């Protein structure tokens, strides 16, 4: 191995040669030190200060002592330099650096105009201020300086190096700002200047690369600028740079591509965190998935110092696609002019960005870094900015809904927004348009004053857009609609005035004022006029007619859907006053009530309907206790016609009577009791139902667990007063258990209603109790069990003349005369009598142990039974005639047998015949 190595030659150094070399180096060093001493450092430093003054108008302050070094290359060192700055409101930019190093050409070092080849700034800081006049006073940092730097001396290139620099922007109005840190840049000036470096902003590391192509003049220099963090996040400008004027001008194309915009955003509040989480959880993927917001943007760019115009702008990202124009200018105040047309726009994402701030990774205050700041103000409409917004979207995504044909034309100037046009089409073929003024209110927040108009085919679907619980509302009532109104909205209230509202055929006119609480709450004083409350009844009738079903309009059972009330998120409290109305097919002068609703509770309180001659008062409340509906109802009315609630305007005629079916076999529907509890307090002067009427109805009752208990129930019927107490129970086999007293009723009305008889009149009082159950009226009658005590006075029976019987017997001469005379006399005339007795009902059979009838001296005893099913009777009355003197008291038997409506009359006069025969014979 060793034999392959080359021969190492011995190096022989002559001592004299070594000494000569060392002496030569020392000589050169001495010459360099001598030359350094010959350089006029103060003069050179003064020339630099003078040159900076000439170019910027600012004084360059050097806190340290300048020095020069010729090795390794001539360099002039200026420690602690400062430029510009000031304490007034129009402060120009200021710059400071720990060290400024200036490289000088060796051959120009001792000339009258040393040529600079490179400038290095260590730890420089450039501060830019937006003053209270809303302007950035660039002053020395202008196009002339940039042109001088770009051209260099005699167009010779000058290298610029920045080590660990920083740029700080501060807004004096909002006390916010921006910091660009860790700047490391290498640039070369001259006819083809270039820039290459890195920096960090918002905690992200970025690189910058810029080149300007060499041209013969200062105008339209091709420029290429790229800002990027990687290949998927970059901003690129390709165009021309014009430095011929004071402000540099750039024209060309700009493009931006971001892999995820959210990475560059900083949440300000907990609410924004929630929005980010909500956005992330909106993915259909059940597994956790990171949501990103990629953005692509491109446009033509025209920048002229005081304005930037982005024309032919195209945006793809933020779940939106659009194109248009965006302009910015700073001629006097910041002016933004936007005209964008979107094929689709995701409002949810834009709202997220609007509530999200940038994330700054700096814990320093302004002056050494940037401070975190919440720039929210009481006045969110600044007076020192102008904005013109023309916006349209074919599809606008709001939450999970898609709105269409959105159009906005608005202008912000001097703290006031003029909304020239706002229009949007909602799902369900409805739309909304409005215009007006948005301005700063007296207190916090803004207010809107203008007009609105909305219309659609379904009010139910329209309301569902804002509250899903509205989907449970009846579409027949909440159908086609139109509304036009003046509108005022502030942070404290919402007010509608001169409103014209039409819902199907219902028309509302008036106004509304609503007040807000921190929780969702709508409290309003509503003024309306010319309201037809019968509209809702009429709509229900039409709906039933079209469906082929005809049910009582107030039918209420466990199938009723209250999910809308259980899901209601907003508390509604409306005080309504109506001038002139129609209700119960009667016209009234004034009506007022309070409408209240919140989650699990609905009520209409303090209802007052003022008619010309009477007033109706009512109150209704529906609430849920342990998921159980509970109703409180109070009614105080002079008259209510229950026919009003029939499914048909004209009640169907009663079917022809059928003696075989006296009692209906239709099922008794007690479904309204199932799953419902409540209390009821009712007072009605006259209650009409069909061709019947009940007067002075008063009822207090409670409903609990399918049991309706009457604490008190009284009314006038058959011209008498009826008092009841007891209960009605529901379930599969409903029934009743009642105690009752009927005072001084008209017998004619009673018998007419029950047996279709009209030849008996007088006054009757009944007292007793009844218990029964069954699935239909027939079974209720069949299983009825009752005990009744009755008393009747002034009973007049037509075509039944007991006195005539006495007179006929008195003139009879033979037994056969008695039969003929009695039959004739009894049917010709009337009899007045009193009635007392007891009646028992068992399994639908009415029996009496005896009812006493008295007509003068004549007495009668009625016995027998009436079978309620099948409505037959077999009743016998034995009359005694004490006025006829005889050892054996003369009697007459009258029997009614057969149909209870038309019984057969049989008279037994055998006792009277015997009396006449004895009288004639004298035996």
């Amino acid at each position: 191995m060793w034999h392959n190595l080359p021969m190492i030659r011995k190096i022989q150094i002559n001592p004299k040669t070594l000494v000569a070399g060392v002496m030569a180096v020392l000589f050169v060093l001495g010459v360099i030190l001598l030359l350094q001493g010959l350089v006029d450092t103060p003069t050179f430093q003064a020339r630099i200060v003078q040159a900076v003054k000439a170019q910027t108008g600012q004084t360059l302050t050097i806190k340290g002592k300048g020095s020069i070094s010729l090795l390794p290359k001539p360099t002039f060192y200026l420690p602690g330099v400062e430029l510009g700055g000031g304490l007034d409101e129009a402060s120009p930019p200021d710059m400071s650096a720990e060290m400024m190093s200036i490289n000088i050409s060796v051959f120009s070092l001792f000339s009258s105009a040393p040529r600079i080849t490179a400038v290095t700034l260590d730890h420089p800081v450039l501060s830019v201020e937006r003053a209270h006049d809303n302007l950035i006073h660039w002053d020395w940092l202008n196009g002339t300086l940039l042109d001088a730097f770009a051209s260099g001396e005699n167009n010779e290139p000058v290298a610029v190096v920045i080590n660990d620099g920083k740029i700080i922007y501060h807004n004096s109005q909002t006390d916010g700002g921006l910091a660009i840190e860790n700047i490391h840049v290498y640039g070369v000036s001259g006819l083809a200047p270039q820039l290459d470096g890195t920096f960090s902003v918002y905690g992200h590391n970025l690189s910058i690369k810029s080149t300007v192509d060499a041209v013969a003049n200062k105008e339209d220099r091709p420029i290429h600028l790229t800002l990027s963090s990687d290949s998927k996040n970059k901003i690129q400008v390709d165009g021309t740079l014009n430095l011929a004027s004071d402000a540099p001008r750039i024209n060309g194309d700009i493009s931006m591509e971001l892999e995820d915009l959210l990475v560059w955003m900083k949440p300000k509040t907990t609410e924004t965190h929630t929005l980010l989480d909500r956005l992330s959880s909106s993915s259909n993927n059940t597994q956790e998935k990171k949501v990103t917001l990629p953005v692509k943007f491109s446009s033509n760019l025209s920048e002229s110092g005081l304005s930037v115009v982005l024309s032919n702008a195209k945006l793809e990202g933020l779940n939106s696609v659009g194109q248009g124009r965006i302009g910015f200018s700073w001629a006097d105040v910041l002016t933004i002019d936007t005209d964008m047309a979107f094929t689709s726009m995701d409002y949810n994402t834009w709202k997220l960005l609007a509530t999200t701030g940038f994330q700054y990774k700096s814990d320093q205050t302004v002056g050494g870094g940037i401070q975190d700041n919440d720039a929210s103000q009481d006045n969110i409409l600044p007076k020192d900015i102008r904005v013109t917004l023309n916006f349209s979207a074919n599809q606008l995504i709001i939450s999970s809904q898609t709105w269409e044909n959105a159009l906005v034309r608005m202008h912000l100037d001097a703290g006031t927004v003029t909304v020239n046009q706002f229009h949007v089409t909602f799902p369900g073929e409805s739309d909304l348009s409005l215009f007006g003024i948005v301005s700063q209110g007296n207190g916090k927040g803004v207010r809107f004053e203008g007009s609105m108009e909305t219309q659609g085919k379904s009010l139910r679907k329209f309301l569902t857009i804002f509250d899903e619980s509205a989907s449970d509302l009846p579409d027949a009532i909440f159908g086609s609609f139109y509304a036009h109104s003046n509108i005022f909205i502030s942070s404290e209230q919402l007010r509608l005035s001169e409103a014209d509202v039409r819902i199907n055929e219902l028309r509302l006119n008036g106004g509304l004022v609503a007040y807000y609480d921190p929780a969702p709450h709508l409290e309003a004083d509503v003024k309306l006029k010319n309201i037809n409350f019968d509209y809702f009844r009429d709509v229900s009738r039409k709906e039933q007619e079209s469906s082929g079903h005809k049910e009582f309009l107030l039918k209420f059972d466990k199938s009723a859907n209250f999910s809308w009330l259980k899901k209601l998120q907003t508390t509604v409290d409306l005080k309504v006053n109506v001038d002139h109305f129609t209700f119960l097919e009667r016209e009234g002068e004034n009506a007022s009530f309070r409408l209240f609703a919140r989650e699990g509770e609905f009520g209409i309180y303090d209802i007052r309907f003022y008619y010309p001659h009477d007033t109706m008062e009512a109150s209704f409340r529906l609430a849920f206790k342990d998921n159980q509906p509970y109703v409180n109802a109070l009614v105080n009315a002079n008259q209510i016609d229950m026919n009003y609630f029939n499914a048909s305007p004209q009640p169907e005629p009663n079917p022809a009577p059928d003696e075989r079916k006296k009692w209906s076999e239709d099922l008794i529907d007690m479904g309204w009791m199932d799953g419902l509890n409540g209390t009821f307090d009712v007072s009605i002067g006259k209650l009409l139902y069909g061709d019947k009427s009940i007067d002075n109805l008063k009822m207090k009752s409670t409903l609990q667990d399918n049991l309706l208990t009457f604490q008190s129930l009284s009314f006038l019927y058959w011209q008498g007063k009826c008092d009841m107490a007891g209960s009605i129970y529901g379930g599969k086999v409903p029934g009743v258990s009642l105690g009752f007293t009927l005072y001084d009723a008209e017998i004619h009305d009673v018998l007419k209603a029950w047996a279709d008889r009209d030849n008996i009149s007088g006054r009757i009082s009944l007292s007793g109790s009844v218990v029964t159950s069954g699935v239909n009226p027939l079974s209720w009658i069949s299983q009825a069990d009752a005990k009744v005590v009755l008393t009747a006075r002034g009973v007049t029976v037509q075509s039944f003349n007991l006195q005539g019987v006495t007179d006929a017997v008195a003139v009879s001469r033979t037994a056969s005369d008695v039969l003929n005379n009695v039959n004739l006399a009894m049917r010709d005339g009337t009899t007045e009598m009193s009635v007392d007795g007891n009646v028992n009902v068992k399994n639908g059979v009415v029996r009496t142990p005896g009812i006493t009838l008295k007509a003068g001296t004549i007495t009668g005893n009625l016995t027998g039974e009436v079978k309620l099913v099948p409505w037959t009777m077999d009743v016998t009355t034995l009359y005694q005639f004490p006025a006829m003197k005889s050892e054996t008291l003369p009697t007459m038997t009258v029997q009614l047998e057969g149909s209870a409506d038309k019984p057969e009359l049989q008279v037994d006069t055998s006792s009277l015949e015997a009396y006449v025969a004895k009288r004639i014979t004298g035996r």
Side-chain angles (χ1 to χ4, degrees):
M1 176 174 69
W2 298 100
H3 65 276
N4 294 325
L5 293 176
M7 182 67 66
I8 301 176
R9 298 177 60 186
K10 294 182 179 179
I11 300 175
Q12 295 181 350
I13 300 176
N14 190 323
K16 295 180 179 180
T17 303
L18 178 60
V19 171
V22 172
M23 293 299 295
V25 170
L26 293 177
F27 175 77
V28 172
L29 293 175
V31 172
I32 292 174
L33 291 175
L34 179 62
L35 292 175
Q36 287 184 179
L38 295 176
V39 175
D40 188 356
T41 302
T43 302
F44 191 74
Q45 179 173 315
R47 287 180 179 177
I48 293 175
V49 172
Q50 183 179 3
V52 170
K53 181 73 172 180
Q55 291 293 339
T56 67
Q58 304 293 318
T59 300
L60 179 66
T61 302
I62 304 174
K63 293 185 176 182
K65 182 179 180 180
S67 61
I68 191 169
S69 173
L70 297 180
L71 292 177
K73 53 185 175 181
T75 303
F76 191 64
Y77 296 99
L78 299 175
V81 296
E82 293 182 354
L83 178 67
L87 299 178
D88 58 349
E89 291 189 351
S91 298
D94 63 69
M95 187 195 72
S96 63
E98 293 183 6
M99 178 66 72
M100 175 186 288
S101 304
I102 302 175
N103 298 135
I104 305 170
S105 171
V106 174
F107 301 102
S108 66
L109 184 62
F110 300 100
S111 66
S112 60
R115 186 173 64 83
I116 298 175
T117 60
V119 177
T120 301
L121 298 175
D122 293 328
H123 306 292
V125 176
L126 174 64
S127 297
V128 180
E129 181 88 7
R130 180 173 294 278
H132 288 283
D133 58 4
N134 198 43
L135 296 177
I136 297 177
H137 298 268
W138 295 102
D139 291 1
W140 57 270
L141 194 59
N142 52 40
T144 302
L145 177 64
L146 295 178
D147 179 56
F149 168 75
S151 300
E153 182 69 20
N154 298 322
N155 291 328
E156 294 181 1
V158 175
V160 177
V161 180
I162 296 177
N163 294 321
D164 194 18
K166 181 183 297 185
I167 299 176
I168 295 176
Y169 164 75
H170 178 245
N171 190 326
S172 299
Q173 292 186 325
T174 64
D175 200 28
L178 170 69
I180 302 177
E181 303 173 296
N182 304 319
I183 301 174
H184 296 272
V185 173
Y186 174 81
V188 177
S189 68
L191 294 177
Q194 58 180 307
L195 188 68
D196 196 350
T198 61
F199 61 92
S200 64
V201 62
Y202 312 145
H204 298 278
N205 295 324
L206 298 171
S207 62
I208 180 172
K209 185 175 183 64
S210 176
T211 60
V212 178
D213 297 345
V215 293
N217 54 38
K218 299 179 181 180
E219 299 182 359
D220 299 331
R221 301 184 181 189
I223 183 174
H224 311 280
L225 172 66
T226 301
L227 294 175
S228 64
S229 64
D230 53 48
S231 61
K232 297 181 179 180
N233 294 273
K234 63 181 179 180
I235 299 176
Q236 185 169 321
V237 177
D238 292 295
T240 59
L241 174 64
N242 188 324
L243 297 176
S245 60
D246 291 340
R249 300 174 182 269
I250 299 177
N251 292 281
D253 298 323
I254 182 172
S255 63
M256 178 180 68
E257 182 176 355
L258 299 178
E259 183 180 23
D260 182 11
L261 183 59
L262 290 178
V263 173
W264 301 83
M265 308 300 290
K266 174 191 174 184
K268 284 185 177 181
T269 63
T270 304
E271 178 183 2
T272 306
H273 283 293
T274 304
L275 288 170
L276 287 168
D277 296 338
R278 188 181 306 163
L279 184 64
S280 298
S281 63
S282 64
S283 172
N284 294 326
N285 191 348
T286 55
Q287 298 180 352
E288 184 177 355
K289 180 180 178 181
K290 180 181 178 181
V291 174
T292 60
L293 291 181
V295 176
K296 290 184 178 180
F297 177 83
S298 63
S299 75
N300 301 133
L301 170 66
S302 176
E303 186 275 334
S304 61
L306 293 178
S307 67
V308 174
V309 177
L310 304 175
S311 57
N312 297 321
K314 297 180 180 179
L315 172 67
E316 294 184 25
L318 308 178
N319 298 327
S320 307
V321 177
Q323 60 183 1
R325 175 186 179 279
I326 305 174
F328 304 88
S329 66
W330 298 268
D332 49 0
V333 297
L334 175 61
T335 301
I336 303 174
D337 187 356
T338 302
D339 191 345
M340 293 291 294
F342 289 85
T343 55
S344 65
M345 179 179 182
D346 188 349
Y347 170 80
N348 308 308
T349 304
W350 288 84
K351 180 181 179 181
L352 168 66
L353 297 180
T355 54
T356 304
F358 292 107
Q359 182 173 4
Y360 310 108
K361 294 187 176 180
S362 175
D363 56 359
Q364 303 178 29
T365 59
V366 174
I370 195 72
Q371 66 177 4
D372 224 354
N373 180 66
D374 182 2
S376 62
Q377 304 177 54
D378 291 346
N379 185 359
I380 63 174
L381 298 176
K383 297 182 179 181
D384 51 6
I385 185 173
R386 296 192 189 104
V387 178
T388 298
L389 174 62
N390 294 324
F391 159 83
S392 65
N394 295 338
Q395 290 186 333
L396 183 62
I397 302 173
I398 305 289
S399 186
S400 60
Q401 302 174 6
T402 300
W403 300 358
E404 298 179 345
N405 303 324
L407 179 64
V408 178
R409 299 282 186 265
M410 56 181 289
H411 180 70
L412 168 65
D413 190 12
T416 299
V417 177
T418 302
V419 181
N420 297 311
Q421 186 177 13
F422 174 90
H423 178 273
V424 65
T425 300
F426 298 114
E429 300 182 79
S430 60
D431 58 62
L432 171 68
S433 299
L434 59 82
F435 65 88
I437 301 294
V438 180
S439 60
Q440 178 68 23
N442 294 329
K444 291 186 176 181
V446 297
R447 61 186 182 185
F448 172 81
E449 295 179 85
S451 296
M452 58 81 66
E453 182 176 283
T454 181
Q455 59 185 343
K457 293 185 176 181
S458 173
L459 179 58
R460 179 183 66 83
K461 293 181 180 179
F462 179 77
L463 296 176
T464 304
I465 296 173
F466 308 100
D467 192 334
E468 293 181 356
S469 61
S471 61
D472 299 321
L473 297 173
D475 203 12
I477 296 178
F478 295 86
S480 62
F481 69 97
Y482 167 84
H484 179 274
S485 173
N486 297 331
I487 183 171
F488 174 87
I489 304 175
S490 70
S491 60
E492 299 174 347
Q493 64 174 258
L494 178 148
R495 182 172 67 244
L496 301 179
S497 60
E498 299 182 14
D500 179 15
V501 180
R502 292 192 292 270
I503 305 173
N504 290 341
E505 299 176 0
L506 176 67
R507 184 161 186 169
L508 308 176
N509 300 98
L512 176 150
V513 179
Y515 303 93
Y516 305 123
D517 287 338
H521 186 92
L522 176 60
E523 180 179 344
D525 293 322
V526 182
K527 297 184 182 298
L528 305 173
K529 60 182 179 181
N530 301 326
I531 303 302
N532 180 16
F533 292 106
D534 292 343
Y535 158 80
F536 302 101
R537 188 275 314 265
D538 297 339
V539 170
S540 297
R541 279 181 173 175
K542 291 180 180 179
E543 185 180 32
Q544 292 204 23
E545 182 179 355
S546 61
S547 64
H549 297 288
K550 291 186 178 181
E551 297 179 339
F552 192 62
L553 299 183
L554 282 183
K555 182 179 179 181
F556 184 88
D557 56 29
K558 63 180 179 181
S559 64
N561 191 345
F562 296 113
S563 59
W564 64 272
L565 185 59
K566 297 177 183 178
K567 296 185 295 185
L568 186 63
Q569 299 298 314
T570 302
T571 298
V572 180
D573 192 354
L574 306 178
K575 296 179 181 178
V576 182
N577 192 286
V578 182
D579 287 332
H580 195 271
F581 67 92
T582 301
F583 181 53
L584 298 176
E585 298 180 347
R586 300 172 60 197
E587 292 189 1
E589 299 170 347
N590 180 267
S592 63
F593 55 88
R594 177 189 175 203
L595 180 66
F596 181 86
R598 62 183 176 186
E599 184 178 359
E601 180 181 355
F602 173 80
I604 306 177
Y605 304 115
D606 302 327
I607 302 172
R608 288 181 176 83
F609 288 89
Y610 297 97
Y611 294 97
H613 304 293
D614 61 276
T615 300
M616 187 178 80
E617 298 178 343
S619 182
F620 174 84
R621 179 178 182 267
L622 170 65
F624 285 85
K625 296 181 179 179
D626 300 326
N627 210 31
Q628 177 82 10
Y630 194 94
V631 172
N632 298 96
L634 183 149
V635 178
N636 185 357
N638 184 61
Q639 177 178 308
I640 293 180
D641 188 351
M642 297 304 293
N643 298 312
Y644 172 89
F645 302 100
N646 287 338
S648 300
Q650 298 297 330
E652 296 182 0
N654 294 326
D658 187 347
E659 295 182 359
R660 296 170 299 175
K661 294 184 178 181
K662 175 70 176 178
W663 312 108
S664 172
E665 296 181 21
D666 294 338
L667 295 177
I668 298 175
D669 186 4
M670 292 292 187
W672 60 274
M673 299 174 64
D674 191 8
L676 177 68
N677 296 330
T679 61
F680 308 91
D681 189 344
V682 178
S683 178
I684 302 175
K686 181 179 288 294
L687 182 67
L688 303 175
Y689 186 75
D691 57 353
K692 302 177 178 62
S693 67
I694 298 175
D695 296 330
N696 294 337
L697 172 65
K698 297 182 183 298
M699 180 191 72
K700 290 186 178 181
S701 61
T702 60
L703 176 60
Q704 184 75 32
D705 299 331
N706 261 351
L707 182 65
L708 179 63
T709 302
F710 297 100
Q711 284 80 26
S712 64
L713 174 61
S714 65
F715 52 88
L716 298 181
Y717 197 61
W718 298 323
Q719 302 182 42
K721 181 181 180 183
C722 182
D723 290 324
M724 290 185 177
S727 60
I728 300 177
Y729 55 90
K732 295 182 179 180
V733 183
V736 299
S737 176
L738 296 172
F740 65 90
T741 301
L742 178 62
Y743 299 96
D744 203 26
E746 174 54 57
I747 297 176
H748 175 273
D749 295 347
V750 176
L751 293 180
K752 184 65 176 177
W754 279 81
D756 197 27
R757 300 187 66 87
D758 58 2
N759 66 321
I760 304 176
S761 62
R763 293 293 175 171
I764 187 172
S765 297
L766 305 173
S767 179
S769 62
V770 60
V771 176
T772 189
S773 62
V775 296
N776 54 34
L778 175 62
S779 58
W780 273 29
I781 295 298
S782 300
Q783 301 181 48
D785 189 351
K787 297 182 183 299
V788 181
V789 177
L790 62 88
T791 299
R793 298 292 183 266
V795 180
T796 300
V797 183
Q798 297 178 359
S799 302
F800 185 73
N801 189 351
L802 289 179
Q803 184 60 45
V805 172
T806 301
D807 295 340
V809 171
V811 299
S812 297
R813 294 291 180 258
T814 65
S816 59
D817 290 342
V818 172
L819 179 60
N820 294 329
N821 293 339
V822 167
N823 285 333
L824 291 174
M826 186 175 63
R827 289 174 170 81
D828 185 16
T830 61
T831 297
E832 184 173 335
M833 65 177 68
S834 63
V835 180
D836 297 278
N838 298 289
V839 173
N840 299 321
V841 182
K842 188 70 174 180
N843 295 329
V845 180
V846 182
R847 293 185 176 89
T848 175
I851 297 177
T852 301
L853 294 77
K854 289 185 178 183
T857 60
I858 304 171
T859 62
N861 184 43
L862 185 149
T863 60
E865 66 180 23
V866 177
K867 293 182 178 179
L868 300 176
V869 179
W871 195 236
T872 60
M873 65 186 305
D874 185 1
V875 176
T876 301
T877 305
L878 178 64
Y879 291 98
Q880 296 178 341
F881 299 88
M884 300 179 186
K885 302 300 181 180
S886 175
E887 294 178 358
T888 302
L889 189 62
T891 62
M892 180 182 68
T893 301
V894 178
Q895 183 181 17
L896 295 173
E897 184 179 13
S899 170
D901 291 330
K902 296 180 180 180
E904 294 183 0
L905 176 65
Q906 296 180 4
V907 180
D908 183 359
T909 59
S910 58
S911 176
L912 296 177
E913 293 172 7
Y915 165 76
V916 172
K918 185 177 179 180
R919 185 188 65 190
I920 295 173
T921 61
R923 297 178 183 178

